[in-house]
Amino acid sequence: MPEGDTVLQTALRLDSALGGRVLTVSDLRVPRFATADLTGRTVLGVTARGKHLLARFQGGLTLHSHLRMEGAWRVYDHGERWRGGPDHQIRAVLATAEHTAVGYRLPVLELLRTEDEEQVVGHLGPDLLGTDWDPDTALRNLLADTGRRIGDALLDQRNLAGIGNVYMCELCFMARATPWLPMGELPLPIATRLVSTARQLLEANRDRPMRTTTGATAAMSRRLTGERLFVYGRAGRPCLRCRTPIRKTVRDNRPTYWCPHCQSGPTG
């Protein structure tokens, strides 16, 4: 699942391949923008904002995309075979003389004026990997609704941008609280640490090909044997702290993992 660190990696990959170069091919395969042609425009740059991607072009245009659950951008050398999926899943093709960027299964793809970018990202809270990161604002946002479940509050991009389901589960484990505990029941020092840990985890993983959270502390890292995550994807396997089997529940196609011994609070 793409989260803030993955989206940033995608933005950097696209920017490296396309940034500063002139488009030789522009093919947006969504009905609303099927006739739009960016050929001949210089790519000014590609940046990430939370889980959103913004590709900016000469002439004041921005291509906004969001990966959600299954979307992906793949970059290929000129003449290289595309391997991201069948042709009917392609939503965008942007090519220069050297590289081709292909967007697969993109649930959100829209062309807008660069001056209007705030219409699609202005609602986001502080970006955990952005220059606008503000831990105090993020904490205030999380605590604004004390009755809201921790997991829901962390996933709400209006509070802080970049956390997805993997980090939500891992952060709740680190806070020793289930995702269903109301934010108001989390002691303020732990809530504060939750925000700083979120930033630490995404920063640590921004350049890693494989996401890991278990190296957050040296003491914990020494006890692990190749495990990258504490709870996510480990249903039925022993907790890395207490050996209790990790539990899993699925709601709205979203899996949630937690340790029933280490994490206190409601369980769904």
Side-chain angles (χ1 to χ4, degrees), residues 234-253:
R234 301 188 68 251
R237 297 172 63 189
C239 172
L240 300 179
R241 280 197 187 117
C242 70
R243 313 306 291 174
T244 300
I246 298 299
R247 294 184 60 186
K248 170 188 175 183
T249 188
V250 179
R251 292 184 180 178
D252 300 324
N253 294 320

Side-chain angles (χ1 to χ4, degrees), residues 110-153:
E110 56 184 335
L111 191 64
L112 64 151
R113 298 204 63 81
T114 301
E115 63 187 21
D116 295 331
E117 285 180 1
E118 285 299 295
Q119 294 180 9
V120 294
V121 296
H123 65 287
L124 298 175
D127 187 341
L128 282 154
L129 293 175
T131 57
D132 69 318
W133 173 244
D134 182 346
D136 294 332
T137 298
L139 181 61
R140 283 197 302 271
N141 292 345
L142 288 173
L143 296 176
D145 184 351
T146 56
R148 194 173 193 188
R149 295 170 172 177
I150 297 173
D152 293 338

Side-chain angles (χ1 to χ4, degrees), residues 5-69:
D5 51 355
T6 306
V7 176
L8 178 61
Q9 291 175 8
T10 299
L12 294 173
R13 200 159 51 244
L14 290 171
D15 188 68
S16 177
L18 306 177
R21 297 172 175 85
V22 176
L23 287 185
T24 57
V25 174
S26 164
D27 184 6
L28 305 183
R29 302 182 186 180
V30 293
R32 184 180 173 189
F33 301 105
T35 60
D37 187 6
L38 298 170
T39 303
R41 294 179 187 260
T42 298
V43 182
L44 302 181
V46 183
T47 188
R49 179 75 172 85
K51 298 186 186 181
H52 299 253
L53 286 162
L54 301 169
R56 298 173 179 136
F57 302 92
Q58 177 187 26
L61 292 178
T62 294
L63 186 65
H64 167 233
S65 59
H66 195 296
L67 306 180
R68 290 191 180 163
M69 296 287 286

Side-chain angles (χ1 to χ4, degrees), residues 70-93:
E70 297 182 351
W73 280 96
R74 301 283 187 247
V75 175
Y76 305 100
D77 291 335
H78 181 69
E80 183 181 359
R81 185 172 64 88
W82 302 352
R83 303 176 303 277
D87 286 352
H88 73 267
Q89 293 182 349
I90 296 174
R91 298 293 176 265
V93 180

Side-chain angles (χ1 to χ4, degrees), residues 133-253:
W133 173 244
D134 182 346
D136 294 332
T137 298
L139 181 61
R140 283 197 302 271
N141 292 345
L142 288 173
L143 296 176
D145 184 351
T146 56
R148 194 173 193 188
R149 295 170 172 177
I150 297 173
D152 293 338
L154 288 173
L155 290 172
D156 190 337
Q157 303 299 294
R158 296 170 299 180
N159 291 333
L160 67 173
I163 293 177
N165 213 40
V166 177
Y167 282 124
M168 181 275 288
C169 293
E170 296 293 290
L171 286 165
C172 287
F173 176 81
M174 292 178 171
R176 294 183 177 267
T178 68
W180 303 279
L181 184 75
M183 278 299 310
E185 295 184 25
L186 195 66
L188 182 58
I190 297 179
T192 303
R193 190 163 62 248
L194 190 71
V195 171
S196 62
T197 301
R199 166 79 166 183
Q200 176 187 350
L201 291 181
L202 268 73
E203 280 280 1
N205 284 285
R206 61 182 298 167
D207 298 320
R208 288 175 176 166
M210 297 288 286
R211 181 181 296 130
T212 180
T213 61
T214 52
T217 67
M220 179 63 75
S221 181
R222 282 194 295 267
R223 299 209 308 266
L224 303 180
T225 56
E227 296 286 358
R228 293 186 301 106
L229 303 173
F230 287 113
V231 291
Y232 194 88
R234 301 188 68 251
R237 297 172 63 189
C239 172
L240 300 179
R241 280 197 187 117
C242 70
R243 313 306 291 174
T244 300
I246 298 299
R247 294 184 60 186
K248 170 188 175 183
T249 188
V250 179
R251 292 184 180 178
D252 300 324
N253 294 320

